[in-house]
Structure formats: structure tokens, C-alpha cells
């Protein structure tokens, strides 16, 4: 089948493009390259440069490419920045998604798979978190994702648009082989920062708080490998194309948490040297634990993550960063 991958030149998008092709699908990418990289794509994948804020460009792409389904990754994704520049986030993430939805229902009404986030839950007492937990995002970023989920559902009810929403927990790692990986313009993620510290690009690791109500006092997160996450998109697309699960929302995680300390210990082991660590105050907005109840995607779609060992996940991230210390600039 032919898929239009919107935002396919980014971190998760570019891994998903590869997994979709490995599953035998034809892929065309639509991306404005604001944070993605053309170099992250195989050279034989067509790249249409376009912006969802320009309704004509996405409409033309749908009309000319005639995809069987659309996978939508295009978004601004930084929590802190979203609080400082809410207008930009609402415009880009919500208006951009609205333009995409309208273009889909006006042209081909093909199924849509949407990248959402565990940030739609906000702080919750639920451990692990099921999909029907209360939705109380604490950032503009999380709000924009929740608003888009709701728009998609409304288009499903009104126009019969089939969809799958995937709520990602903490995505990490890189495709084994080290040729693509995480390369966001501004770096905030724990494993990426630790790898850059190991490369000497940063002086030390800051541990944001060790007085949380968790076993070692540092925050627990559910880390899912980017390649497994990419496979979740393949499963979602194929279910929709087979006429199954036409309005579904799934958590994507492994259902178990690792603490900041455990992650940094794993990085030390993988890089072979202890990184300097310093205790810092809690980071605003960090819930103590975010762990997915991932049973729904396992039972509905047969999600079966291959990367279950933290060290193995970190190893793939480290292989990417040490071979590409300047990301796609190398
Ligand atoms: N964290 C940390 N030091 C850092 C970056 C992150 O202690 O330099 C912690 C952060 O407070 C959170 C966890 O690591 O508890 C994961 O943070 P990350 O930004 O990777 O992902 P998030 O959970 O915010 O999506």
C-alpha cells in the first residue's frame, strides 16, 4: 500500500518510514524540514517539501500522490518552549492538523495514524496509566496534542474518518546500525543528553530531583525504543487498511518504569565510564512516575516490542551519537 508520512523526516518519522518500507509499503514523505532532516530519509523516498499551515500544499500532495493512508508526525514537541510560545504551538500543531484533516476528508478520506503523547494525561495517580485515565495536560504542548485527538475523533464521527491515535511514552534509542537517530535542534531528553555528555559536548549530567516518592527518589519513566514505536505505527496502519480498529487510541510503552538513576547507570555501563552527575532541583512539571498500561495495543494489534533491555536501548542511542557527534551535520 502507499502511505503519505507527514513529518517523516523527523526522529520517529524517519524510523517509521524505514519500518513501513521493510513491511513492503511504498512511502512518500511530506515535511517542512523545520526540525527534520532530508538526510534521515533513504534517498529513494520522495520528499515533498510542504507545510501543513499551507492548506493547498497538503491538499495537492494528497491529490497527486493518492495514498491509501496517512501517518501524521508533524508537530512542535518541546514542553518548555510551548509554555513560552503558546501561539506558535497552537497554530502549528492544532491549525496544521486541522488543515490536514480537512484535506483528507475533502479528498480521499483515507485512514489516519496520529502521533500523540503521554503528556495528555498530566500528573495522575494511576500506575500504570490506562487509556481511559483522566486527560489533564499540564503543558501547551500536551494541550495541542489532546485538541488534535479530539478533532480527529470529531472528523471520525462526522465524516467516517478511520483513525488510530498512538500515545507515546519516553521514546529513545536509534535504529541498530547507527545511521539515523535523535537529532533535535534543542536537546532535553535524558538519554540523548547523557550520550552527548559522554562525548564531551556537555560537562555533566544534572539529576532533576532525588526526593520523589519512588524507590530511589528519582523519576520513573517508561522507555520505548524508537524502532518498536515505529513497528507500532506499521501495526496500526495495517489494521486500519484491513478495516479493523477504526477509531482506536493506544498507549505505546513497555509497561514498566526505569528511574533517572537507573538510566544513567545504564549509560555509564554502555559508554564504559561513569559520567559526572550533579543533583539539581526538580524540573517544573515532571510527574514522579509515568508508566503505560500497554495491554490494549498488545491485545488489539499484537504489539511485541523487541527492545526490552534498558542497556540494549541505550547501546543503540550511543552507537548513533558516537558515530554522528554532530547529528546529521556529519
Ligand atoms: N532528566 C534529568 N536530567 C536531564 C534530563 C532529564 O534528570 O538532564 C529527568 C527528567 O526530570 C525526567 C526524566 O529524566 O524525570 C526523563 O526526562 P526527559 O526529558 O528525557 O523526558 P520526559 O519524561 O520529560 O518526556
Amino acid at each position: 500500500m502507499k502511505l503519505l508520512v507527514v513529518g517523516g523526516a523527523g526522529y520517529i518519522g524517519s524510523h517509521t518510514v524505514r519500518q513501513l518500507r521493510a513491511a513492503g509499503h511504498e512511502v512518500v514523505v511530506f515535511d517542512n524540514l523545520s526540525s527534520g532532516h532530508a538526510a534521515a530519509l533513504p534517498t529513494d523516498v520522495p520528499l515533498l517539501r510542504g507545510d501543513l499551515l499551507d492548506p493547498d500544499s497538503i491538499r495537492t500532495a494528497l491529490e497527486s500522490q493518492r495514498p491509501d493512508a496517512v501517518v501524521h508526525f508533524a508537530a512542535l514537541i518541546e514542553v518548555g518552549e510551548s509554555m513560552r510560545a503558546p501561539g506558535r504551538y497552537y497554530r502549528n500543531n492544532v491549525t496544521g492538523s486541522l488543515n490536514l484533516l480537512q484535506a483528507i476528508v475533502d479528498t480521499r478520506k483515507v485512514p489516519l495514524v496520529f502521533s500523540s503523547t503521554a503528556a495528555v494525561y498530566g500528573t495522575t495517580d494511576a500506575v500504570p496509566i490506562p487509556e481511559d485515565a483522566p486527560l489533564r495536560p499540564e503543558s501547551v504542548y500536551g494541550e495541542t496534542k489532546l485538541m488534535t485527538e479530539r478533532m480527529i475523533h470529531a472528523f471520525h464521527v462526522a465524516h467516517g474518518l478511520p483513525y488510530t491515535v498512538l500515545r507515546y511514552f519516553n521514546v529513545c534509542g536509534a535504529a541498530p546500525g547507527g545511521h539515523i537517530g535523535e537529532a533535535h535542534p534543542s536537546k532535553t531528553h535524558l538519554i540523548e543528553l547523557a550520550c552527548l555528555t559522554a562525548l564531551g559536548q556537555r560537562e555533566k549530567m544534572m539529576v532533576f530531583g532525588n526526593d520523589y516518592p519512588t524507590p530511589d527518589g528519582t523519576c520513573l519513566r517508561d522507555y520505548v525504543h524508537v524502532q518498536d514505536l515505529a513497528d507500532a505505527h506499521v501495526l496500526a496502519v495495517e489494521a486500519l487498511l484491513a478495516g479493523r480498529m477504526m477509531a482506536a487510541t493506544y498507549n505505546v510503552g513497555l509497561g514498566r518504569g526505569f528511574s533517572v538513576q537507573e538510566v544513567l547507570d545504564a549509560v555509564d555501563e554502555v559508554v564504559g565510564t561513569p559520567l559526572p552527575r550533579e543533583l539539581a532541583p526538580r524540573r517544573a512539571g515532571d510527574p514522579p512516575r509515568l508508566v503505560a498500561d500497554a495491554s490494549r495495543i498488545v491485545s488489539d494489534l499484537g504489539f511485541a516490542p523487541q527492545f526490552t533491555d534498558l542497556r540494549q536501548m541505550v547501546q543503540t542511542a550511543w552507537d548513533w551519537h558516537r558515530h554522528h557527534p554532530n547529528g546529521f551535520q556529519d
Side-chain angles (χ1 to χ4, degrees):
M1 293 287 188
K2 182 169 181 180
L3 305 167
L4 183 69
V5 181
V6 178
Y11 170 46
I12 302 168
S14 61
H15 284 80
T16 302
V17 164
R18 281 175 168 74
Q19 295 306 90
L20 286 167
R21 280 168 41 109
H25 300 289
E26 183 186 348
V27 174
V28 176
V29 168
F30 179 96
D31 201 300
N32 66 6
L33 297 184
S34 60
S35 59
H37 306 271
L41 293 172
T43 48
D44 57 343
V45 168
L47 168 61
L48 309 176
R49 274 195 82 161
D51 198 310
L52 290 182
L53 292 179
D54 169 12
D56 287 342
S57 73
I58 184 60
R59 191 175 299 258
T60 305
L62 287 163
E63 280 168 348
S64 64
Q65 298 301 320
R66 306 181 60 75
D68 299 294
V70 176
V71 187
H72 173 28
F73 294 99
L76 300 172
I77 58 159
E78 283 172 42
V79 170
E81 186 187 56
S82 77
M83 307 305 282
R84 296 189 296 275
R88 193 165 163 245
Y89 271 67
Y90 283 114
R91 192 160 43 250
N92 190 81
N93 293 3
V94 181
T95 307
S97 297
L98 179 57
N99 289 342
L100 173 62
L101 284 169
Q102 194 62 54
I104 293 175
V105 297
D106 288 349
T107 57
R108 298 180 51 74
K109 212 184 284 180
V110 289
L112 174 70
V113 176
F114 174 61
S115 307
S116 189
T117 167
V120 297
Y121 297 115
T123 298
T124 163
D125 293 332
V127 181
I129 306 172
E131 287 86 354
D132 57 5
L135 302 172
R136 291 185 293 240
E138 285 164 22
S139 65
V140 169
Y141 165 68
E143 272 299 341
T144 65
K145 289 289 183 176
L146 181 54
M147 288 171 78
T148 304
E149 287 192 12
R150 290 187 165 143
M151 292 192 307
I152 293 170
H153 187 70
F155 275 68
H156 169 75
V157 172
H159 306 293
L161 176 77
Y163 75 84
T164 304
V165 165
L166 299 178
R167 292 182 182 150
Y168 313 157
F169 280 66
N170 286 61
V171 187
C172 69
H179 47 286
I180 55 171
E182 196 167 3
H184 299 305
S186 60
K187 324 276 183 202
T188 57
H189 289 140
L190 181 64
I191 294 176
E192 182 177 26
L193 287 177
C195 290
L196 297 177
T197 305
L199 287 170
Q201 295 182 16
R202 295 178 169 253
E203 197 189 325
K204 60 191 169 203
M205 282 307 295
M206 307 298 255
V207 175
F208 298 143
N210 71 349
D211 56 352
Y212 285 97
T214 59
D216 66 21
T218 64
C219 290
L220 293 181
R221 293 289 179 273
D222 188 335
Y223 293 88
V224 55
H225 193 273
V226 66
Q227 188 141 312
D228 286 327
L229 180 59
D231 285 338
H233 291 78
V234 177
L235 293 169
V237 165
E238 290 182 345
L240 288 169
L241 290 173
R244 296 174 50 235
M245 318 314 296
M246 305 294 266
T249 298
Y250 298 111
N251 287 335
V252 194
L254 269 61
R256 46 115 187 78
F258 289 108
S259 72
V260 172
Q261 203 160 291
E262 286 173 310
V263 170
L264 293 178
D265 288 348
V267 176
D268 286 356
E269 260 187 73
V270 166
V271 305
T273 176
L275 302 180
R277 289 183 206 177
E278 195 171 295
L279 182 61
R282 290 182 177 198
R283 190 173 68 175
D286 273 342
R289 33 179 113 215
L290 280 177
V291 177
D293 176 344
S295 52
R296 189 187 281 180
I297 191 167
V298 171
S299 61
D300 280 6
L301 300 185
F303 179 57
Q306 304 297 303
F307 289 85
T308 53
D309 176 63
L310 179 61
R311 273 205 10 234
Q312 198 190 6
M313 294 192 199
V314 168
Q315 182 73 54
T316 63
W318 175 234
D319 288 343
W320 155 251
H321 287 294
R322 75 195 163 103
H323 290 123
H324 301 269
N326 301 307
F328 288 99
Q329 266 68 273
D330 292 321

